[in-house]
Amino acid sequence: MLNDFRSLIWLRTRYLLSAKAILFVCVLTPILDFYLLSLWGEARETVYFLNMALSMVYSLTAGTFVSMIVSEEKEKKNLKTLRLSGVTDKDYLLSVVFFPIFFASVTALFFPFPFGTTIPNWGTYLAVVLTTVFTFVFLNLSIALLCKTQQQTVAFSMFFVMLANMLPAFVPAHQIVKQIAYHSFIGANTDYMATLGDYSLTSSSFLAQVSWLLLCLGLSIWAYRRAIIVGNYGFEK
């Protein structure tokens, strides 16, 4: 199993080096855009801009990155070839989510430094980052598995990119909107950025985030099994 996983990671590395457009849009764009923004004096030590940067990382690097990879492989019928060569479903899925989780987590942990934001409790921040990253990964994995074409996948993925970036911006508008945002699929991060040192992992927003994570994980497992049954992943059952 370990050798198969290493081989898949090596193949993923080669794929990313050849698919420079996906790597640039999903990984490098959030880093470059918001790093340059952090050089602007008024953006430093401003939690609002850090929150914007993290929302983009979650939605693009953790989210769209996964959906674009999976949707392309669906059309190329790569999984059929891998299964015939003995690769297990578990190894394949782990290799799919490995780089999005890695890049998104590292970037999210890096961003507080250029923005000059003091993180009171790194353990709490790490928990918020990881639960949000995994939520977006499994959400977009489900989207890619359920959609029939790349165009559909991109459209739905972009919808959640816009939603993830708009919800935190509307928090000050109204108390009802605030509660919706705090208990949404990006709620823990939104609430954390609003409270920082006062944030607790027992808060309702974090518990809601964990619920979203479990829901998206369950949905992605169901979507993967459904794709196998209906032959919507490049092979028949």
Side-chain angles (χ1 to χ4, degrees):
M1 173 182 172
L2 185 59
N3 289 333
D4 288 341
F5 180 69
R6 288 175 177 173
S7 299
L8 287 171
I9 293 299
W10 180 75
L11 290 173
R12 291 272 173 237
T13 303
R14 292 189 60 185
Y15 166 77
L16 291 176
L17 292 176
S18 63
K20 295 180 177 60
I22 294 178
L23 195 63
F24 179 79
V25 171
C26 296
V27 179
L28 296 180
T29 296
I31 296 175
L32 292 175
D33 287 354
F34 285 97
Y35 180 75
L36 292 175
L37 178 62
S38 72
L39 300 178
W40 178 42
E42 295 185 18
R44 287 188 60 80
E45 301 181 10
T46 304
V47 176
Y48 174 78
F49 289 108
L50 174 59
N51 195 15
M52 287 177 56
L54 291 174
S55 297
M56 189 65 71
V57 169
Y58 295 139
S59 55
L60 272 182
T61 310
T64 304
F65 195 9
V66 172
S67 59
M68 291 181 71
I69 291 174
V70 174
S71 62
E72 183 174 341
E73 292 193 340
K74 280 177 63 178
E75 293 199 354
K76 292 181 177 179
K77 305 184 186 302
N78 287 349
L79 184 54
K80 179 179 180 179
T81 303
L82 291 173
R83 284 171 63 89
L84 290 174
S85 66
V87 173
T88 65
D89 295 339
K90 183 178 180 180
D91 286 341
Y92 172 76
L93 291 174
L94 286 175
S95 72
V96 166
V97 303
F98 177 79
F99 281 112
I101 290 173
F102 174 77
F103 285 128
S105 300
V106 170
T107 305
L109 293 174
F110 161 76
F111 266 146
F113 296 103
F115 279 100
T117 303
T118 301
I119 302 298
N121 189 323
W122 278 95
T124 302
Y125 180 69
L126 179 62
V128 171
V129 166
L130 290 180
T131 51
T132 310
V133 165
F134 275 92
T135 300
F136 274 86
V137 164
F138 290 127
L139 173 62
N140 280 266
L141 177 60
S142 303
I143 291 172
L145 290 170
L146 293 172
C147 291
K148 295 182 179 180
T149 64
Q150 279 187 292
Q151 290 80 3
Q152 289 179 353
T153 302
V154 171
F156 280 106
S157 181
M158 286 298 106
F159 169 76
F160 283 101
V161 169
M162 291 187 294
L163 199 59
N165 286 274
M166 289 173 60
L167 276 175
F170 285 108
V171 166
H174 195 278
Q175 186 64 26
I176 295 179
V177 178
K178 177 180 177 180
Q179 292 304 315
I180 293 174
Y182 281 3
H183 296 86
S184 68
F185 55 89
I186 196 171
N189 183 80
T190 304
D191 192 6
Y192 180 87
M193 288 292 111
T195 56
L196 283 181
D198 297 327
Y199 190 79
S200 171
L201 294 182
T202 59
S203 65
S204 60
S205 65
F206 186 76
L207 296 178
Q209 189 71 56
V210 174
S211 299
W212 276 103
L213 169 58
L214 296 176
L215 177 64
C216 292
L217 173 60
L219 180 62
S220 63
I221 293 173
W222 174 81
Y224 185 77
R225 291 174 177 173
R226 177 181 179 274
I228 294 175
I229 293 173
V230 301
N232 190 30
Y233 209 174
F235 60 94
E236 301 297 332
K237 184 179 178 182

